[in-house]
Amino acid sequence: MYYCQKIQEKGKISGLIWDFMNSLHKQVCHPRPETEDQEIFWSEHKHMHSIQFVLATMPDGMISCTVGPYEGKRCDWSMWKDDMQEMVIENERDSKRDRVYLYGDKAFYLEEGVIGGYRQHNGIELTSEESIFNDYMEKPRTAIEWGFGKVMQLFQFTNLK
């Protein structure tokens, strides 16, 4: 696949990653006290009421997929499972029929069509290979941040609470 080759040409570890994904919390006004929506939109992780979007961006900055909005309490993995997984599985093989992956942050883990950064489990430190992989993949993952910036620039009303 073209994008896998370009990522590998840049000196990155894997030639099997074709796209990057992440979620974005957008703060919303505090729901009215008489509504039941307060718990739905409260993000314990971000400590604010929010809605979320999941965005997939190719290394050249082209946005390949965006889904949402979701309520603030949803985790990245459940949003992925609900709406993006089917799309990724359809595109998970390159022209040579090798499996290719969407790369996410540490909230995602290896499953059909997606891989995430390595994370510590039970206080056990990452191996040097795992740390090197995370470091190498951080730079090309900035494409996803550019994608969020592009959406905020083009659709400025999304910055309103």
Side-chain angles (χ1 to χ4, degrees):
M1 226 175 169
Y2 175 78
Y3 288 105
C4 295
Q5 292 169 351
K6 290 301 174 189
I7 292 171
Q8 194 170 30
E9 285 173 12
K10 293 282 186 184
K12 303 306 171 207
I13 293 176
S14 178
L16 300 176
I17 295 171
W18 67 279
D19 214 349
F20 301 94
M21 72 174 167
N22 203 356
S23 67
L24 172 71
H25 281 266
K26 290 302 297 172
Q27 189 171 7
V28 297
C29 288
H30 190 287
R32 297 174 75 170
E34 62 270 9
T35 66
E36 297 176 11
D37 297 339
Q38 290 190 43
E39 288 183 24
I40 295 171
F41 292 102
W42 179 254
S43 169
E44 191 66 35
H45 176 68
K46 297 287 185 176
H47 302 287
M48 64 182 179
H49 289 92
S50 65
I51 56 174
Q52 295 185 81
F53 299 88
V54 179
L55 193 69
T57 306
M58 294 185 180
D60 62 0
M62 186 168 64
I63 297 170
S64 58
C65 181
T66 182
V67 292
Y70 296 97
E71 58 273 10
K73 69 178 186 175
R74 295 279 298 270
C75 67
D76 292 357
W77 193 251
S78 70
M79 292 183 289
W80 148 257
K81 289 293 243 180
D82 285 351
D83 289 323
M84 289 186 78
Q85 186 177 27
E86 186 176 322
M87 182 270 306
V88 170
I89 291 171
E90 290 173 10
N91 297 302
E92 73 174 342
R93 303 279 178 189
D94 68 4
S95 58
K96 293 182 262 178
R97 304 304 298 157
D98 289 332
R99 177 173 281 188
V100 293
Y101 296 92
L102 207 94
Y103 185 83
D105 60 13
K106 295 175 186 174
F108 301 95
Y109 46 90
L110 184 61
E111 193 176 280
E112 203 170 0
V114 67
I115 188 171
Y118 290 100
R119 55 186 169 184
Q120 290 181 310
H121 290 286
N122 299 327
I124 299 172
E125 294 291 323
L126 297 178
T127 66
S128 61
E129 291 85 7
E130 292 169 341
S131 294
I132 289 170
F133 180 82
N134 283 353
D135 291 343
Y136 272 112
M137 292 310 296
E138 194 58 38
K139 188 172 182 181
R141 238 188 106 250
T142 56
I144 192 72
E145 304 305 330
W146 298 336
F148 285 130
K150 191 181 297 181
V151 169
M152 296 303 129
Q153 181 182 17
L154 293 173
F155 305 100
Q156 293 184 5
F157 65 88
T158 58
N159 286 325
L160 301 174
K161 290 183 187 176

